[in-house]
């Protein structure tokens, strides 16, 4: 589904990615993990050419993105969804307008837009928040709006750049569940970049480990399921004191 | 006079400011040459003491309108300063838009035009309104010296009849009217910008 071929990308004096080749199969949930600065986010952003690679080819769904004209690239991007660590919603648009804008860009027939928006928001469990503004939502809810926005155009691929890194563990679990549902219900190929081992282990089938701008290894794993964390204060105390020696202050 | 300069600010200043922003380093239209030229031009116009700009532009105004005297002629320098003034404020408000929002727009396949109208202006709208408010108040202040080229206006009236004919009370009335006018404009601008700011 996604094939990267000998991708290199450097910034003024720093080689972010050094000749990386990678392939992601259709319907996979593919994780990319590595330390900060390993190049994992850059690699993800190369996939929809948010970062233009200096060398190499990007192929998604049979199209070689690096060879497309600007216009065709814009068209191709409409079937590649993307979500971000900081959600990147338009704060001055309501929840439903945020989702609708991606339909507008794709020239989705005006008449069926509202119903499609509602459908997507329903899928992420936010149908009661249509007229709210992002500032009125929690982090997890914002990320779900972003997912609905990415989902609206029936993308083939969903790129997730640290989707849970600014969320608490419980909310992370919710977001991961939504992502897994998308993968299962619509067969969307998902790529997740994260530095959190828990996140990667929970839902990915294959994982690429990156180090210093190169692929260290790619392994197939059995997703071990999303561990729903309990958010009660008692749970936190239990976790903290699990290993004995407690001193209540 | 002020009306024309406001129109110039919106119709020309807004696009120029947007271009200034888009041509900056790291933006979608990154272009050092266009940026440097526009940037220099805006700076030069804004660094003229306004009275000198009016005088300096007399040949240009004459070429454009046919005369350099009168209210219509006065709109030329006023519009030029208006464009320079507002475009800088537009650039500043656009800089406040989080970079991620533009990135999301590009990732969704938005064209440059769509990025501007469906994302940038939507996100920066309260700043754009506040900037315009500040600009309008400056234009009013600038317009008061248009008497030198026979532009007329309330400022000219206050100087000519109030100051030069020693009718201090008349001058005071004019000042009071101006104060009230500016208060009203600022109040309206602030209110509108607050109403449309959902961030």
């Amino acid at each position: 589904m996604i094939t990267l071929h000998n991708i290199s990308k450097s910034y003024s004096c720093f080689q972010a990615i050094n000749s990386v080749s990678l392939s992601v199969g259709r319907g996979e949930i593919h994780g990319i993990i590595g330390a900060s600065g390993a190049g994992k986010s850059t690699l993800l952003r190369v996939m929809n050419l948010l970062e233009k690679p200096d060398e190499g080819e990007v192929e998604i769904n049979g199209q070689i993105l690096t060879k497309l004209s600007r216009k065709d690239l814009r068209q191709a991007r409409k079937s590649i969804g993307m979500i971000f660590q900081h959600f990147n919603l338009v704060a001055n648009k309501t929840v439903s307008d945020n989702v609708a804008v991606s339909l507008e860009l794709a020239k989705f027939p005006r008449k069926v837009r509202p119903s499609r928006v509602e459908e997507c928001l329903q899928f992420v469990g936010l149908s009661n928040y249509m007229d709210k503004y992002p500032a009125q939502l929690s982090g997890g809810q914002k990320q779900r709006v972003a997912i609905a926005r990415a989902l609206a155009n029936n993308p083939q691929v969903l790129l997730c750049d640290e989707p849970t890194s600014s969320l608490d563990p419980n909310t992370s679990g919710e977001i991961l569940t939504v992502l897994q549902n998308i993968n299962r219900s619509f067969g969307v190929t998902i790529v997740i970049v994260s530095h959190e081992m828990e996140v990667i282990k929970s839902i990915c089938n294959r994982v690429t480990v990156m180090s210093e701008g190169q692929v260290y290894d790619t392994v197939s794993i059995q997703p071990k399921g999303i561990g729903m964390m309990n958010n009660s204060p008692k749970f936190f105390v239990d976790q903290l004191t699990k290993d004995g020696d407690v001193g209540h202050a | 006079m002020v009306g024309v300069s406001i129109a110039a600010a919106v119709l020309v200043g807004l696009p120029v400011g947007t271009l200034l922003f888009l041509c900056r380093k790291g933006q979608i239209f990154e272009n050092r040459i266009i940026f440097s030229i526009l940037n220099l031009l805006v700076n030069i116009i804004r660094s003229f003491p306004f009275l000198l700009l009016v005088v300096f532009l007399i040949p240009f105004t004459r070429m454009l309108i046919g005369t350099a005297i009168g209210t219509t002629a006065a709109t030329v320098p006023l519009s030029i300063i208006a464009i320079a003034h507002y475009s800088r404020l537009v650039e500043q408000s656009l800089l406040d838009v989080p970079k991620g929002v533009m990135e999301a727009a590009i990732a969704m396949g938005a064209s440059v035009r769509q990025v501007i109208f469906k994302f940038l202006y939507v996100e920066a709208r309260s700043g754009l309104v506040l900037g315009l408010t500040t600009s309008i108040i400056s234009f009013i202040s600038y317009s008061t010296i248009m008497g030198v080229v026979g532009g007329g206006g309330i400022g000219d009236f206050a100087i000519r009849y109030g100051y030069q004919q020693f009718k201090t009370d008349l001058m005071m009335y004019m000042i009071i009217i101006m104060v009230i006018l500016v208060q009203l404009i600022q109040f309206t601008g602030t209110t509108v910008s607050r109403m449309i700011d959902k961030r």
Side-chain angles (χ1 to χ4, degrees):
Chain A
M1 190 67 185
I2 305 173
T3 313
L4 302 181
H5 200 71
N6 284 330
I7 298 289
S8 292
K9 170 80 187 174
S10 58
Y11 300 104
S12 46
C13 54
F14 167 68
Q15 181 94 21
I17 296 179
N18 193 356
S19 192
V20 166
S21 296
L22 180 70
S23 75
V24 178
R26 189 176 292 271
E28 239 175 43
I29 301 185
H30 193 108
I32 301 178
I33 195 167
S36 296
K40 51 192 192 309
S41 266
T42 310
L43 191 67
L44 187 83
R45 292 157 58 86
V46 161
M47 290 181 187
N48 63 356
L49 296 201
L50 268 186
E51 302 283 352
K52 302 245 176 340
D54 303 329
E55 277 169 52
E57 258 179 14
V58 179
E59 186 188 327
I60 290 193
N61 204 14
Q63 271 185 311
I64 297 175
L65 297 191
T66 34
K67 284 189 179 157
L68 295 181
S69 66
R70 291 168 68 117
K71 189 161 174 258
D72 290 338
L73 175 63
R74 286 207 300 273
Q75 201 53 45
R77 277 173 173 158
K78 285 166 191 164
S79 52
I80 306 171
M82 188 170 195
I83 60 172
F84 305 84
Q85 177 176 1
H86 298 296
F87 328 123
N88 296 349
L89 299 173
V90 182
N92 275 335
K93 283 186 194 284
T94 60
V95 166
S96 58
D97 285 345
N98 263 289
V99 179
V101 77
S102 82
L103 297 173
E104 277 170 44
L105 298 184
K107 304 232 160 47
F108 203 83
R110 191 179 288 270
K111 272 190 178 162
V112 277
R113 265 182 224 162
S115 61
R116 177 68 188 149
V117 169
E118 203 175 342
E119 205 179 340
C120 293
L121 285 171
Q122 208 144 32
F123 186 85
V124 296
L126 285 179
S127 43
N128 293 329
Y129 292 81
M130 304 259 289
D131 298 323
K132 293 256 194 278
Y133 285 91
Q136 299 165 291
L137 305 181
S138 70
Q141 289 169 330
K142 284 183 204 167
Q143 191 61 293
R144 283 192 272 162
V145 176
I147 293 174
R149 175 173 75 174
L151 207 60
N153 281 325
N154 292 311
Q156 307 266 337
V157 174
L158 183 59
L159 306 176
C160 311
D161 189 1
E162 302 273 6
T164 60
S165 300
S166 46
L167 303 175
D168 69 60
N170 206 32
T171 319
S172 293
E174 284 170 30
I175 296 299
L176 293 172
T177 311
V178 174
L179 292 177
Q180 197 167 40
N181 285 339
I182 290 171
N183 175 260
R184 284 185 185 157
S185 322
F186 311 120
V188 176
T189 309
I190 297 182
V191 183
I192 300 183
V193 161
S194 181
H195 61 268
E196 296 166 302
M197 189 49 95
E198 283 303 308
V199 169
I200 296 291
K201 269 183 167 174
S202 59
I203 64 170
C204 297
N205 324 108
R206 273 175 86 223
V207 182
T208 296
V209 180
M210 287 195 71
S211 167
E212 294 174 358
Q214 287 179 311
V215 171
Y216 179 79
D217 201 0
T218 297
V219 291
S220 290
I221 60 167
Q222 193 61 41
K224 80 174 178 57
I226 300 153
M228 278 311 253
M229 289 260 284
N230 192 332
N231 235 3
S232 70
K234 184 176 177 306
F235 174 81
F236 285 124
V237 174
D238 286 350
Q239 287 289 306
L240 287 166
T241 57
K242 207 164 49 178
D243 302 323
D245 45 271
V246 197
H248 280 283
Chain B
M1 273 193 298
V2 174
V4 174
S5 62
I6 295 171
V10 174
L11 296 178
V12 186
L14 184 62
V16 169
T18 310
L19 197 61
L20 260 173
F21 169 76
L22 293 178
C23 291
R24 268 173 169 264
K25 197 169 186 306
Q27 297 296 348
I28 46 181
F29 247 23
E30 182 173 340
N31 186 323
R32 260 181 69 184
I33 298 169
I34 298 183
F35 177 78
S36 308
I37 293 174
L38 281 180
N39 194 36
L40 189 69
L41 211 60
V42 167
N43 276 347
I44 290 177
I45 294 173
R46 278 165 40 87
S47 53
F48 263 90
F50 185 58
L51 186 57
L52 290 182
L53 183 73
V54 174
V55 177
F56 178 80
L57 284 175
I58 284 177
F60 177 73
T61 308
R62 195 169 283 144
M63 201 179 76
L64 211 68
I65 311 269
T67 171
I69 307 293
T71 310
T72 320
T75 58
V76 174
L78 209 51
S79 298
I80 287 177
I81 192 76
I83 292 165
H85 196 273
Y86 189 49
S87 62
R88 188 58 90 197
L89 294 180
V90 167
E91 183 198 15
Q92 277 170 20
S93 340
L94 296 183
L95 280 169
D96 283 339
V97 174
K99 232 181 152 206
V101 171
M102 288 180 72
E103 240 165 37
I106 295 166
M108 278 190 263
S111 62
V112 174
R113 201 191 145 94
Q114 288 166 326
V115 171
I116 295 171
F117 287 100
K118 291 186 190 291
F119 295 85
L120 266 183
Y121 287 170
V122 175
E123 207 63 341
R125 61 192 185 189
S126 60
L128 293 174
V129 168
L130 277 184
L132 189 63
T133 310
T134 309
S135 296
I136 292 173
I137 290 168
S138 301
F139 304 162
I140 292 175
S141 168
Y142 287 138
S143 79
T144 55
I145 60 165
M146 293 319 291
V148 291
V149 289
I154 190 171
D156 187 39
F157 185 79
I159 291 282
R160 207 180 290 248
Y161 297 93
Y163 176 66
Q164 288 168 349
Q165 296 187 8
F166 305 105
K167 292 176 184 154
T168 314
D169 55 334
L170 189 72
M171 192 174 80
M172 289 312 284
Y173 290 139
M174 291 303 130
I175 292 173
I176 291 168
I177 289 174
M178 297 288 269
V179 168
I180 293 172
L181 186 67
V182 169
Q183 293 289 341
L184 274 176
I185 293 171
Q186 186 63 55
F187 175 76
T188 312
T190 313
T191 311
V192 170
S193 102
R194 200 181 299 142
M195 263 163 43
I196 60 178
D197 189 4
K198 306 294 183 184
R199 291 172 297 173

